[in-house]
Amino acid sequence: MAERRRLGYNVHREVLDEGEVEEMAEKSEEKTSLCENFNKSMRCSGPRMKKCLLGSFPVLSWLPRYSIRENALGDLISGISVGIMQLPQGMAYALLAAVPPVFGLYSSFYPVLIYFIFGTSKHISIGTYAVMSVMIGGVTERLAPDSKFEIQDNVTNLTIVDDVARDAERVQVAAAVTLLSGLFQILLGLVQFGFVVTYLSEPLVRGYTTGAAIHVIVSQLKYTFGINPVRYSGPFSLIYTVLEVCYLIPETNVGTLVVSIVAIVGLILAKELNAYLSKKLPVPIPVELLGVVVATLISWQVDLNGKYKVDVVGLIPSGLQPPVVPEASLFGQVIGDAFALAVVGYGIAISLGRIFALKYGYKVDSNQELIALGLSNTVGGFFQCFAISCSMSRTMVQESTGGKTQVAGALSAAVILVITLWIGTLFEELPKAMLAAIIYVNLHGMMKQFLDIPALWRSNKVDMVIWVVTFVLTLLFNPDLGLAASIGFSMLTVIFRTQLPKYSLLGQVPDTDIYRPLEDYNQVKQVPGILIFRSSATLYFANAEMYQEALGKKSGFDITKILSAKKKLEAKRKRHEKKNARKAKKDAKKNSVGMEVEPEEKEHRDVAVIDMDPEPNPSLPRAIILDLSPVNFLDTVGVKTLRGIHKDYGQIGIEVVLAGCQTGVVDNLQTGGFFNDKVTKSCLFTTVHDAVLHCQSSITQSQEKPLYENFTGTHF
Amino acid sequence: MAERRRLGYNVHREVLDEGEVEEMAEKSEEKTSLCENFNKSMRCSGPRMKKCLLGSFPVLSWLPRYSIRENALGDLISGISVGIMQLPQGMAYALLAAVPPVFGLYSSFYPVLIYFIFGTSKHISIGTYAVMSVMIGGVTERLAPDSKFEIQDNVTNLTIVDDVARDAERVQVAAAVTLLSGLFQILLGLVQFGFVVTYLSEPLVRGYTTGAAIHVIVSQLKYTFGINPVRYSGPFSLIYTVLEVCYLIPETNVGTLVVSIVAIVGLILAKELNAYLSKKLPVPIPVELLGVVVATLISWQVDLNGKYKVDVVGLIPSGLQPPVVPEASLFGQVIGDAFALAVVGYGIAISLGRIFALKYGYKVDSNQELIALGLSNTVGGFFQCFAISCSMSRTMVQESTGGKTQVAGALSAAVILVITLWIGTLFEELPKAMLAAIIYVNLHGMMKQFLDIPALWRSNKVDMVIWVVTFVLTLLFNPDLGLAASIGFSMLTVIFRTQLPKYSLLGQVPDTDIYRPLEDYNQVKQVPGILIFRSSATLYFANAEMYQEALGKKSGFDITKILSAKKKLEAKRKRHEKKNARKAKKDAKKNSVGMEVEPEEKEHRDVAVIDMDPEPNPSLPRAIILDLSPVNFLDTVGVKTLRGIHKDYGQIGIEVVLAGCQTGVVDNLQTGGFFNDKVTKSCLFTTVHDAVLHCQSSITQSQEKPLYENFTGTHF
């Protein structure tokens, strides 16, 4: 610190305006046109082709260099651990998607294999994801509601639901929406729209996932209580569902509730134990798998389904099924949902992928990720999977157990394959309440995100508002519409932030060339006769008017009043001159006939005019400096505003100069027609201090010349 | 110029970082809280009450000071001229609104009187407006279509439309939507939402009015050709209507077409004559009134309606009608249209009002204008008027004929009253084709707005895109939805402009403290060992990632690669040290049994490690300066990005300092947690030059100290 204090800042140069700087620094004129850029990017060559191929099939670039010695062990352990997690999660999330559990296993297999080939992130665990699943559940239950499959039982004469037909239809719907979302992702990836993810800012994603988690929880309440509420869809359906569940609580199946409570408590305890032992164990205990196995055993032994009417998973067909072309006729009805799924799935995967890429120092290609996810979903759609993304909890396990490459993912798929082929049928007696419990316990991480609110309140209030609004919108309008509304809102905040800027007058920090807002610092002095005005934001249509108003307010005098007074005075002067001319003619005539005009009368008249002078204000500044350094761009409205200020204040003899314009802003001024014969780049200065020096010198020079006060007061 | 060149810029001070500046300039801490501000604005007092009263009834403040000598004559001539224009325009625009012509006269009377009391603009001519009328026409024809009033004629057995019932219903609908839009305007005015008009940027308004003019023209084609096309509503209805008209052209009524052509040609010639004589005449010839009178006379003499089936205006009841409460049950169906009408009407009126306020040096209060228009529409709604705004053509006449205050408007209302009471019925034989012709001729000004496109192309391409997109959206989605979509689009452009900033490395203009982009200037030199990086836009969630990428690209080295290589090396070093330690132990043992270790072997091992060094780059910069002067605000994502850059580059020994932060940005950094024990405000500098001087001095100081290259290469 002490050493820096002695560091001198000494500058000796001439005061430079924009034109002079351009001359000195030789501004280059040639610019590459859009067309050339396009041609350049389209050029084709050998190495380019190779790069393109390797970019499209990342597996070709990393697998040949796979170091077995370094990675194989970690990948093996990690792959098995994740595969074991995929089993209960896949089945549980299938419930969320309202399809039979086995399709959750399929979704944990095919897409994972595809991602292995096309993906660029080494650490994320592709597969079923709670938020995506609940979104799919919304679609499937909307297009294939229970009510559509009600049949009259001939024997008991009761209305029952044809489960088999319903589930088949739901699988169809899920596959269709998955295929379509995959196609969307591929399309977005091909047109290089990976950047859309930038709209998903962190507060938005966290608010969104928290809101979606609430949807997930609410959708699982029926399994926990063993009740059968009506399915609502559309905005506010969450509220209706909660009310319905409350209404149905008296009908709770006690057996199911007991299973739920035992499962939840057991899982939480086991997880805590896991966390406690995490440093001592090489691989975490597969809590969920154990839970599933124990629950299945108990259910089978006690016959929970038969004796206590506890809902169980039911038939799990073993083996894989041949691919089926999803029904394209459904596409029209699910296009909106598919788009939302495409964006959400990509957003989650890319943000997790980036975190690990940063941690381990590699790169994920956002467009390639889009294509990889898109292909996973597209292929998945043919194999009756539902849309996938990557799950936070599995990804953490994959990384912490030593997974180093995409091979871990492929191994987890192999585990799932084994389960699907041979072991899956063993879980038919598993209570659904157990799966719901797994979902709850997996969501506790998302619930922790509520702590963001106080943290954001302290660090950035606007971001907190984004978080809360996103959360509320997601709750009210469901994850699909809610996401769109939230993105819209988060963009609006940018407008708001630039629309309500802070306007300040700047003053000089004594004995320096530094200018700071007068109201923020006590030892900052206004430069006599010069107003330095700055807006904290870009000047554009949404705040151009405010800019003008703020300048008027801060300057302390009413420019419109002075201008109109000046105009009136001028009109009066003209009338007066005309009269005088007439009078003079008359007088001349009179004189010619021998009479004399009294000089006092004329003087008296002049005095009257001077009295009408609109309070000539000696405290009027002599120059205004507009500091435009925070301006990012100027639109036509902005340029017009600046031109108006320059003209209006110029009319009453106040010089207006601009300071700190970026190169782009100077270009905007130029094409926008700010400059003309009289207004040249000599009214643009690089720094505020240059502008101040210039204004001070021109004030001194013109001290004798008439300025506005003099001009209106005495000069006619 | 020459004198300024000699003006020296000499600064001698110490290099100052943010902390030091704050100390020097004594940053003040206290801030007025939101709560205090609120209390302050709510305080009540005598003069405040008076100001509030005068603000609510502007007539009270200007009428008592009305100078008869100065204003009366101009206002009288202007009032009569405008009143004469209101007659044909009112009747013509009533056709647009699909209500009988007399309601156009009412709309030119009541609202004008109300505005006289509450309005703050002295020059705009309140009354019927083409765009508003066509929007109302959309509503009335949607809710009261011809098909709803078809009855079977018992005599001819043809289906005819019950005109009387239909028109009565349409008047009801128009009154309801007018009342509701008035209430919206009052509400918006009371909550001080006048600022919404700032979203209506000039390119948007001009594109919008041009698009709406096309709608107006298309809706009048049926009167010009005397055909009866089906009414379409909803998106793309314009296209359907045009197709329908083309399809029906063979059924053109020749008489009507002749009247149309004669009327249009006559009006254009008369207008040209008017423009030619404008300097010689004190008051323009009331072309439209003459046209209407002549057309009525001819129509009556020739019996155009009877002989040639030319559609005429028909029954015009004389006298005023008692107020009727509009049907509130319609509100639900017209709420969207009413809101659009409220915004459009206000937008047009305020933008015209501002133009004249600027010209004559007075102020229009945007919130009071909202309330004045709202009251005009609300009262108008009770008297079966349709929604009004201000018409550009009438306003031009009002101003050019010498109108100086709102009195001119009141006088024009008086003229309309006289016409309504006694003269109106004379116009019953007026062909509707004449009114359509008046509309066309009045719209020629709007058609001139197409010239904006080339002008904007030259001055600002983004604004041109806004113009064109607004125009197209208005055409396709009708004036109501089109407006919403256009406003949305124009806001998106702000995002796009800040989302695709220009990233540049800055270099020093020789012998100055000025830094400019290297690619824009030929004589700008990079400071050795220091990268100065600037984005042209604010750093926030939508471009934070690009900022990082651009920095990586511009810096010319891959930070992630270096970081991961460094991590690997460190891991290797650790392993190596462990091995060495083990070996040393072994050696020690061996030594203890009498054998010697060869020193070459150890050296050889070190060399091998050095070879694995990831190409140590001597051209790596020693410091990076991020010029943040264009940053308007930082959100949490922005702060995180900066923190990440500071940390990552810091890890490989590159110092990262920030320059040119505004006060608000420093606050954002502080609350966002950028600073900690190690990172203090001493890495923030006021100007880029300060930062450069600091970095240069610390480079010289550390020239002997090990930096990254040395560190990774040789130090273990």
Side-chain angles (χ1 to χ4, degrees):
Chain A
M1 211 65 166
E3 45 195 286
R4 192 190 298 148
R5 274 206 185 278
R6 282 193 298 271
L7 202 58
Y9 180 108
N10 302 311
V11 175
H12 299 274
R13 59 172 171 86
E14 280 157 4
V15 168
L16 295 169
D17 64 37
E18 186 63 29
E20 288 159 353
V21 171
E22 285 185 5
E23 207 176 283
M24 262 181 86
E26 289 183 14
K27 191 174 185 194
S28 44
E29 286 304 321
E30 78 281 8
K31 279 178 185 169
T32 45
S33 69
L34 224 69
C35 206
E36 275 172 44
N37 280 339
F38 182 77
N39 283 340
K40 217 172 168 185
S41 70
M42 283 293 130
R43 220 163 282 159
C44 193
S45 68
R48 212 188 162 94
M49 279 292 289
K50 192 187 158 198
K51 203 180 153 195
C52 186
L53 189 74
L54 286 184
S56 305
F57 297 90
V59 70
L60 296 181
S61 68
W62 64 262
L63 199 55
R65 286 191 277 155
Y66 185 76
S67 154
I68 293 184
R69 199 175 62 94
E70 272 182 43
N71 304 326
L73 186 69
D75 281 346
L76 184 71
I77 295 173
S78 157
I80 293 173
S81 310
V82 171
I84 285 172
M85 271 185 91
Q86 292 260 30
L87 167 73
Q89 281 197 354
M91 285 164 69
Y93 293 163
L95 285 194
L96 278 179
V99 295
V102 71
F103 293 97
L105 297 183
Y106 298 159
S107 305
S108 310
F109 173 63
Y110 296 105
V112 180
L113 280 185
I114 303 291
Y115 186 84
F116 166 75
I117 300 170
F118 296 99
T120 60
S121 170
K122 300 177 185 171
H123 292 88
I124 62 174
S125 167
I126 289 296
T128 53
Y129 177 53
V131 173
M132 306 278 286
S133 306
V134 80
M135 286 169 77
I136 293 177
V139 186
T140 50
E141 297 196 1
R142 190 184 72 224
L143 294 184
D146 281 352
S147 56
K148 199 172 162 188
F149 300 93
E150 276 169 0
I151 44 173
Q152 211 70 15
D153 190 330
N154 290 332
V155 188
T156 60
N157 217 7
L158 277 171
T159 315
I160 58 163
V161 175
D162 181 359
D163 287 11
V164 180
R166 182 198 64 187
D167 287 348
E169 170 111 10
R170 286 185 177 175
V171 170
Q172 283 270 2
V173 172
V177 72
T178 300
L179 173 63
L180 197 58
S181 78
L183 293 176
F184 272 129
Q185 285 174 332
I186 295 175
L187 195 76
L188 289 175
L190 288 178
V191 297
Q192 309 277 307
F193 252 51
F195 74 87
V196 290
V197 78
T198 54
Y199 293 134
L200 306 175
S201 67
E202 205 189 325
L204 185 136
V205 168
R206 294 176 71 92
Y208 177 73
T209 48
T210 312
I214 304 281
H215 276 278
V216 171
I217 288 172
V218 168
S219 74
Q220 292 305 295
L221 289 178
K222 57 179 174 183
Y223 298 115
T224 305
F225 290 103
I227 50 181
N228 211 355
V230 179
R231 166 81 194 185
Y232 294 95
S233 65
F236 309 112
S237 60
L238 186 88
I239 296 167
Y240 298 134
T241 310
V242 170
L243 291 178
E244 174 90 8
V245 167
C246 291
Y247 177 74
L248 289 177
I249 279 206
E251 297 173 23
T252 300
N253 176 318
V254 180
T256 308
L257 188 62
V258 169
V259 172
S260 299
I261 292 171
V262 171
I264 293 174
V265 172
L267 281 174
I268 290 177
L269 287 181
K271 286 243 169 186
E272 287 298 313
L273 187 72
N274 225 350
Y276 178 72
L277 294 176
S278 64
K279 282 194 180 157
K280 295 178 187 164
L281 297 173
V283 176
I285 311 167
V287 174
E288 287 154 355
L289 183 74
L290 284 181
V292 167
V293 170
V294 169
T296 311
L297 284 177
I298 293 175
S299 171
W300 173 58
Q301 280 294 322
V302 185
D303 190 13
L304 286 177
N305 188 25
K307 282 195 191 150
Y308 304 97
K309 299 218 166 155
V310 173
D311 207 4
V312 298
V313 164
L315 191 70
I316 299 180
S318 67
L320 298 173
Q321 295 183 355
V324 178
V325 179
E327 240 181 280
S329 61
L330 288 167
F331 284 2
Q333 291 165 277
V334 299
I335 195 161
D337 308 274
F339 192 78
L341 280 169
V343 174
V344 172
Y346 170 62
I348 300 294
I350 194 80
S351 38
L352 261 181
R354 287 229 180 100
I355 292 172
F356 288 103
L358 205 68
K359 191 168 171 187
Y360 289 94
Y362 62 94
K363 252 186 199 164
V364 290
D365 175 345
S366 55
N367 291 312
Q368 179 61 27
E369 280 298 284
L370 252 177
I371 293 176
L373 285 172
L375 285 170
S376 301
N377 278 327
T378 309
V379 172
F382 285 100
F383 286 98
Q384 309 193 301
C385 302
F386 51 87
I388 51 82
S389 173
C390 87
S391 136
M392 177 115 40
S393 54
R394 282 199 315 272
T395 304
M396 302 296 272
V397 169
Q398 175 161 344
E399 184 239 351
S400 62
T401 52
K404 289 204 174 66
T405 67
Q406 289 95 322
V407 169
L411 287 173
S412 82
V415 172
I416 288 292
L417 182 66
V418 170
I419 291 170
T420 317
L421 289 182
W422 296 291
I423 312 172
T425 46
L426 299 180
F427 293 110
E428 290 184 356
E429 286 298 314
L430 175 66
K432 284 182 178 175
M434 181 68 211
L435 292 177
I438 289 175
I439 292 174
Y440 297 146
V441 176
N442 271 321
L443 288 178
H444 84 286
M446 288 198 189
M447 291 303 121
K448 277 189 195 152
Q449 293 182 153
F450 277 113
L451 296 176
D452 289 3
I453 301 181
L456 285 173
W457 170 261
R458 280 189 302 272
S459 67
N460 197 315
K461 300 220 174 31
V462 181
D463 280 347
M464 188 208 68
V465 172
I466 293 180
W467 196 104
V468 173
V469 169
T470 305
F471 175 73
V472 172
L473 288 175
T474 310
L475 281 192
L476 293 183
F477 298 113
N478 300 351
D480 42 0
L481 256 183
L483 182 69
S486 309
I487 292 179
F489 178 79
S490 80
M491 287 189 188
L492 267 186
T493 59
V494 179
I495 306 270
F496 291 149
R497 289 206 230 210
T498 54
Q499 207 199 340
L500 298 170
K502 195 181 157 195
Y503 297 105
S504 6
L505 287 184
L506 305 187
Q508 193 174 23
V509 179
D511 303 325
T512 67
D513 56 343
I514 300 170
Y515 294 82
R516 289 291 167 102
L518 285 169
E519 71 266 33
D520 288 346
Y521 297 87
N522 297 330
Q523 285 298 321
V524 158
K525 296 266 180 306
Q526 196 163 351
V527 185
I530 299 175
L531 277 185
I532 310 166
F533 181 73
R534 176 162 75 187
S535 151
S536 68
T538 293
L539 175 66
Y540 69 109
F541 67 82
N543 60 20
E545 197 199 329
M546 262 181 286
Y547 188 85
Q548 235 165 336
E549 272 174 21
L551 175 60
K553 223 173 174 181
K554 293 270 176 193
S555 68
F557 60 91
D558 193 339
I559 176 78
T560 46
K561 248 190 204 163
I562 297 183
L563 271 180
S564 75
K566 193 190 158 211
K567 263 182 200 154
K568 267 188 203 160
L569 261 171
E570 266 174 14
K572 227 167 241 177
R573 186 177 55 147
K574 264 186 201 159
R575 245 181 293 150
H576 200 76
E577 273 173 0
K578 243 190 224 166
K579 236 194 224 169
N580 273 5
R582 243 181 292 148
K583 185 100 186 223
K585 248 190 206 168
K586 243 200 228 168
D587 289 350
K589 260 189 208 166
K590 273 188 192 171
N591 272 358
S592 69
V593 293
M595 278 172 80
E596 256 185 39
V597 68
E598 287 153 288
E600 292 105 308
E601 196 191 305
K602 216 177 173 183
E603 257 178 47
H604 173 76
R605 217 179 291 133
D606 275 355
V607 169
V609 171
I610 292 164
D611 279 348
M612 275 180 274
D613 187 343
E615 343 130 36
N617 197 339
S619 70
L620 230 50
R622 312 294 289 268
I624 292 178
I625 298 169
L626 303 177
D627 180 7
L628 297 186
S629 53
V631 170
N632 298 341
F633 64 87
L634 284 172
D635 61 356
T636 45
V637 180
V639 174
K640 249 182 210 177
T641 306
L642 290 177
R643 205 166 46 197
I645 291 172
H646 192 277
K647 202 183 118 208
D648 288 350
Y649 286 89
Q651 278 182 352
I652 59 168
I654 299 177
E655 185 176 10
V656 177
V657 300
L658 314 181
C661 296
Q662 290 189 57
T663 322
V665 174
V666 176
D667 291 347
N668 285 154
L669 284 172
Q670 199 147 26
T671 56
F674 180 80
F675 302 114
N676 55 31
D677 306 346
K678 285 177 201 164
V679 186
T680 64
K681 280 188 182 168
S682 64
C683 75
L684 259 61
F685 292 88
T686 311
T687 68
V688 174
H689 195 54
D690 280 282
V692 168
L693 291 176
H694 161 77
C695 293
Q696 277 177 334
S697 101
S698 59
I699 288 175
T700 345
Q701 276 174 29
S702 68
Q703 209 63 282
E704 310 85 43
K705 282 193 213 164
L707 252 188
Y708 171 55
E709 300 95 286
N710 315 342
F711 162 69
T712 49
T714 58
H715 273 72
F716 51 82
Chain B
M1 210 66 165
E3 46 195 283
R4 190 190 299 148
R5 274 208 181 279
R6 282 194 298 272
L7 201 60
Y9 180 107
N10 301 314
V11 175
H12 299 274
R13 59 172 171 86
E14 280 156 4
V15 168
L16 295 170
D17 63 39
E18 187 62 30
E20 286 159 355
V21 171
E22 285 185 6
E23 209 175 284
M24 263 181 83
E26 287 182 15
K27 192 172 186 193
S28 44
E29 287 303 321
E30 79 281 9
K31 279 176 183 170
T32 44
S33 70
L34 225 68
C35 205
E36 276 172 43
N37 280 338
F38 182 78
N39 282 341
K40 219 172 167 185
S41 70
M42 283 294 133
R43 221 163 281 159
C44 193
S45 67
R48 211 184 165 98
M49 278 292 289
K50 193 187 159 199
K51 204 179 154 195
C52 186
L53 189 73
L54 287 184
S56 306
F57 297 90
V59 70
L60 295 181
S61 68
W62 64 263
L63 199 55
R65 286 191 277 155
Y66 187 77
S67 154
I68 293 184
R69 200 175 62 95
E70 273 183 40
N71 304 325
L73 188 70
D75 280 347
L76 184 71
I77 295 172
S78 159
I80 292 172
S81 310
V82 171
I84 285 170
M85 272 185 90
Q86 292 259 31
L87 167 73
Q89 280 197 356
M91 285 163 70
Y93 293 162
L95 285 192
L96 278 178
V99 294
V102 71
F103 293 97
L105 297 183
Y106 298 160
S107 305
S108 311
F109 173 63
Y110 296 105
V112 180
L113 280 186
I114 302 291
Y115 186 83
F116 166 74
I117 299 170
F118 295 100
T120 60
S121 170
K122 300 178 185 172
H123 293 87
I124 62 174
S125 166
I126 289 296
T128 54
Y129 177 54
V131 173
M132 306 278 287
S133 306
V134 79
M135 286 169 78
I136 292 176
V139 186
T140 51
E141 297 196 3
R142 190 184 74 224
L143 293 184
D146 281 352
S147 56
K148 197 172 164 188
F149 299 93
E150 276 169 1
I151 43 173
Q152 211 71 15
D153 190 330
N154 291 331
V155 189
T156 60
N157 218 5
L158 279 171
T159 314
I160 59 163
V161 175
D162 181 359
D163 288 11
V164 180
R166 182 198 65 187
D167 288 349
E169 170 111 11
R170 286 185 176 174
V171 170
Q172 284 270 4
V173 172
V177 72
T178 301
L179 174 62
L180 197 57
S181 77
L183 293 177
F184 272 130
Q185 286 173 330
I186 295 175
L187 195 75
L188 288 176
L190 289 179
V191 296
Q192 309 277 308
F193 252 53
F195 76 87
V196 292
V197 78
T198 54
Y199 294 133
L200 306 176
S201 68
E202 203 188 327
L204 185 136
V205 168
R206 292 175 72 93
Y208 177 72
T209 47
T210 312
I214 305 281
H215 275 278
V216 171
I217 289 173
V218 168
S219 75
Q220 292 305 293
L221 289 178
K222 58 180 173 183
Y223 296 117
T224 304
F225 291 103
I227 51 182
N228 211 353
V230 179
R231 165 79 195 186
Y232 294 95
S233 65
F236 309 112
S237 60
L238 186 89
I239 297 167
Y240 298 133
T241 309
V242 170
L243 292 178
E244 174 88 7
V245 167
C246 292
Y247 177 75
L248 288 177
I249 279 206
E251 296 174 24
T252 301
N253 177 316
V254 181
T256 309
L257 189 62
V258 170
V259 172
S260 298
I261 292 172
V262 171
I264 292 174
V265 172
L267 279 175
I268 290 177
L269 288 179
K271 285 245 168 186
E272 287 298 316
L273 187 72
N274 224 349
Y276 179 71
L277 294 177
S278 64
K279 282 195 181 157
K280 294 176 189 166
L281 296 175
V283 177
I285 310 167
V287 175
E288 288 154 356
L289 183 74
L290 284 180
V292 166
V293 170
V294 170
T296 310
L297 282 177
I298 294 175
S299 169
W300 175 57
Q301 280 295 321
V302 185
D303 190 11
L304 285 177
N305 187 25
K307 281 194 193 155
Y308 303 98
K309 298 214 167 162
V310 172
D311 206 5
V312 297
V313 164
L315 190 70
I316 297 181
S318 66
L320 299 174
Q321 294 183 353
V324 178
V325 179
E327 243 181 277
S329 61
L330 289 168
F331 284 1
Q333 291 166 277
V334 299
I335 194 161
D337 307 274
F339 193 79
L341 280 169
V343 174
V344 172
Y346 170 63
I348 301 294
I350 193 80
S351 38
L352 262 181
R354 284 230 182 101
I355 292 172
F356 288 103
L358 206 68
K359 192 168 173 189
Y360 289 94
Y362 62 94
K363 253 186 198 163
V364 290
D365 175 345
S366 54
N367 291 313
Q368 179 61 25
E369 280 298 283
L370 253 177
I371 293 175
L373 286 172
L375 285 170
S376 301
N377 278 327
T378 309
V379 172
F382 284 101
F383 286 97
Q384 309 194 303
C385 301
F386 50 85
I388 50 84
S389 174
C390 87
S391 137
M392 177 114 43
S393 54
R394 282 200 316 272
T395 304
M396 302 296 273
V397 169
Q398 175 162 343
E399 185 239 349
S400 62
T401 52
K404 287 202 174 68
T405 66
Q406 289 96 320
V407 169
L411 286 172
S412 82
V415 172
I416 288 292
L417 182 67
V418 171
I419 292 169
T420 317
L421 289 182
W422 296 293
I423 313 173
T425 46
L426 300 179
F427 293 111
E428 290 183 355
E429 286 299 313
L430 174 66
K432 284 183 176 174
M434 181 69 210
L435 292 178
I438 289 176
I439 291 174
Y440 296 147
V441 176
N442 270 321
L443 288 178
H444 84 286
M446 287 201 190
M447 291 303 120
K448 276 187 195 154
Q449 293 183 152
F450 277 114
L451 297 176
D452 288 1
I453 301 180
L456 285 174
W457 170 261
R458 280 189 301 273
S459 67
N460 197 314
K461 302 219 172 32
V462 180
D463 280 346
M464 188 208 68
V465 172
I466 292 179
W467 197 103
V468 173
V469 168
T470 305
F471 175 73
V472 172
L473 288 176
T474 310
L475 280 193
L476 294 183
F477 298 111
N478 300 351
D480 41 1
L481 255 183
L483 181 70
S486 309
I487 293 179
F489 178 79
S490 80
M491 288 189 188
L492 266 187
T493 60
V494 178
I495 306 271
F496 290 149
R497 290 206 229 211
T498 53
Q499 207 199 338
L500 298 170
K502 196 179 158 198
Y503 296 104
S504 6
L505 286 184
L506 306 187
Q508 192 174 23
V509 180
D511 303 324
T512 66
D513 56 343
I514 300 170
Y515 294 81
R516 289 291 169 102
L518 285 168
E519 70 267 33
D520 289 346
Y521 297 89
N522 296 330
Q523 286 298 320
V524 160
K525 297 266 180 305
Q526 196 163 348
V527 185
I530 299 175
L531 278 184
I532 309 167
F533 181 73
R534 176 163 74 187
S535 153
S536 68
T538 293
L539 175 66
Y540 69 110
F541 66 83
N543 60 19
E545 196 198 329
M546 262 180 286
Y547 187 86
Q548 234 166 336
E549 272 174 20
L551 175 61
K553 223 173 175 179
K554 293 269 175 191
S555 67
F557 59 92
D558 193 336
I559 176 78
T560 47
K561 249 188 203 163
I562 297 183
L563 270 181
S564 76
K566 193 190 157 211
K567 263 183 201 152
K568 268 187 202 162
L569 264 172
E570 263 174 18
K572 230 169 236 175
R573 186 178 54 149
K574 264 186 203 156
R575 245 180 292 151
H576 200 77
E577 273 172 3
K578 245 188 225 166
K579 237 193 225 169
N580 274 4
R582 244 180 292 149
K583 187 98 184 226
K585 249 190 209 165
K586 243 200 230 166
D587 290 350
K589 261 188 208 164
K590 275 186 191 169
N591 274 356
S592 68
V593 294
M595 280 171 79
E596 257 187 37
V597 68
E598 288 153 286
E600 292 103 309
E601 198 193 302
K602 218 180 174 184
E603 254 179 48
H604 173 77
R605 215 180 294 134
D606 275 357
V607 169
V609 172
I610 292 163
D611 279 349
M612 275 179 273
D613 186 343
E615 343 132 34
N617 198 339
S619 69
L620 230 49
R622 312 295 287 268
I624 292 177
I625 298 169
L626 304 177
D627 180 6
L628 297 186
S629 53
V631 170
N632 298 341
F633 64 87
L634 285 172
D635 60 357
T636 45
V637 180
V639 174
K640 249 183 209 177
T641 306
L642 291 176
R643 205 166 45 196
I645 291 172
H646 192 277
K647 201 184 121 207
D648 289 351
Y649 287 89
Q651 276 183 353
I652 59 169
I654 298 177
E655 185 176 10
V656 177
V657 300
L658 315 181
C661 296
Q662 292 189 56
T663 323
V665 173
V666 176
D667 291 346
N668 285 154
L669 284 172
Q670 199 147 26
T671 56
F674 181 79
F675 302 113
N676 54 31
D677 306 347
K678 286 178 200 162
V679 186
T680 64
K681 280 188 180 167
S682 64
C683 75
L684 260 60
F685 291 89
T686 311
T687 69
V688 174
H689 195 55
D690 279 283
V692 168
L693 292 176
H694 162 77
C695 293
Q696 278 176 333
S697 101
S698 57
I699 288 174
T700 345
Q701 277 175 28
S702 68
Q703 210 65 281
E704 310 84 43
K705 281 192 213 164
L707 251 187
Y708 172 57
E709 298 96 287
N710 315 343
F711 162 70
T712 50
T714 57
H715 272 73
F716 50 82

